[in-house]
Amino acid sequence: MFEVINECRSCGSNNLELVLDLGMHPPSDALLREEHLKLEEPRYPLTVSFCSDCSLCQIRENVAEDELFCNDYPYYSSFIPSLLRHSKANVDELIEMRGLGPDSFVVELASNDGYLLQNYVERGIPVQGIDPADGPANAAIERGVPTLNTFFTTELARDLSSQGRKADVIHGNNVLAHVPDLNGFVEGISILLKDEGVAVIECPHVLELIKYCEFDTIYHEHLCYFSVTALRPLFERHGLKLNDVRSLTIHGGSLRLYVSREQHESQSVRDLVAKEAAANLDTPDGYREFGSRVETLRDDLLKLLK
């Protein structure tokens, strides 16, 4: 099952411009068993649009979340050594920088198999993982990482907050792009975060996607392709400020965002906004050019194969 949205996932505008049509695709992580090979595989449209009002690049199709994430979901973060090293370094730095200890509380949204939170557990810092995929969530629990096997929602955020379980740190790595209700998700972060807390969020950077023509990272699980230009108003809409950002090489080029209630924006945020503007990522032009490159690659490959 799927639906097509006609309003921007962030600002709600209907001023969306189609910049790339990738045709019909099956869910990317739907790995088939032998008994399924003779059955017709479900396929859904995959189109990319740009919002001229808030600059968010996004696909228009929502495939049912339980089809994408809950049925034999095959992605386990702990099988990637480079990601384990990356996550441990992030945790070690935050523990030192924020002075975290036994009286602190850390939450990870889309915590997978506990690959990141285990680093806090080993240091005696209380944590809570939240993940909807049964297999990874159960693997996390087995390794001693408390995990709620569910989607993160504003209702869950209010429930945890009412229990006095507000977070000093909220992690959200490679999850923001997967969320159909962006505003509800960010509102949940705002509800759950302590007044002096910080949300540390990682997501692929659309600047790198376009620069290196990484169209293979566009699929139904990835609903949005973020720029700093588009992220700032999304957070501000919910009383949060994007105060610092780092460029990372992981996942083909990513951003690490530091978000909190008080505004103390660093030069890094302003520099990346300027860099995105220079690449025309605040207008449809940069995305149209990207779409043309993808179509040329597709046509050239089909000619070669034929």
Side-chain angles (χ1 to χ4, degrees), residues 21 36 43-44 50 54 83 122 126-127 138 146 153 161 169 179 190 204 216 247 278 293:
D21 186 341
H36 297 147
R43 295 173 183 269
Y44 306 104
F50 173 81
C54 75
L83 182 59
E122 291 170 359
V127 304
N138 289 331
T153 62
S161 179
V169 175
V179 177
S190 182
D216 56 305
S247 295
R293 279 191 288 146

Side-chain angles (χ1 to χ4, degrees), residues 100-139:
L100 303 177
D103 295 327
S104 306
F105 183 50
V106 177
V107 174
E108 185 179 11
L109 315 178
S111 50
N112 200 259
D113 59 5
Y115 74 104
L116 182 145
L117 289 180
Q118 65 184 350
N119 296 290
Y120 288 107
V121 172
E122 291 170 359
R123 302 279 292 271
I125 297 171
V127 304
Q128 179 63 67
I130 301 169
D131 198 283
D134 297 349
N138 289 331

Side-chain angles (χ1 to χ4, degrees), residues 204-236:
H205 192 188
V206 74
L207 179 67
E208 302 298 308
L209 183 155
I210 288 179
K211 180 178 179 181
Y212 296 108
C213 209
E214 297 170 350
F215 64 92
D216 56 305
T217 66
I218 298 173
Y219 48 92
H220 292 107
E221 287 181 24
H222 292 169
L223 303 173
C224 298
Y225 305 87
F226 291 108
S227 62
V228 176
T229 304
L231 284 163
R232 277 203 298 189
L234 170 63
F235 291 122
E236 287 175 359

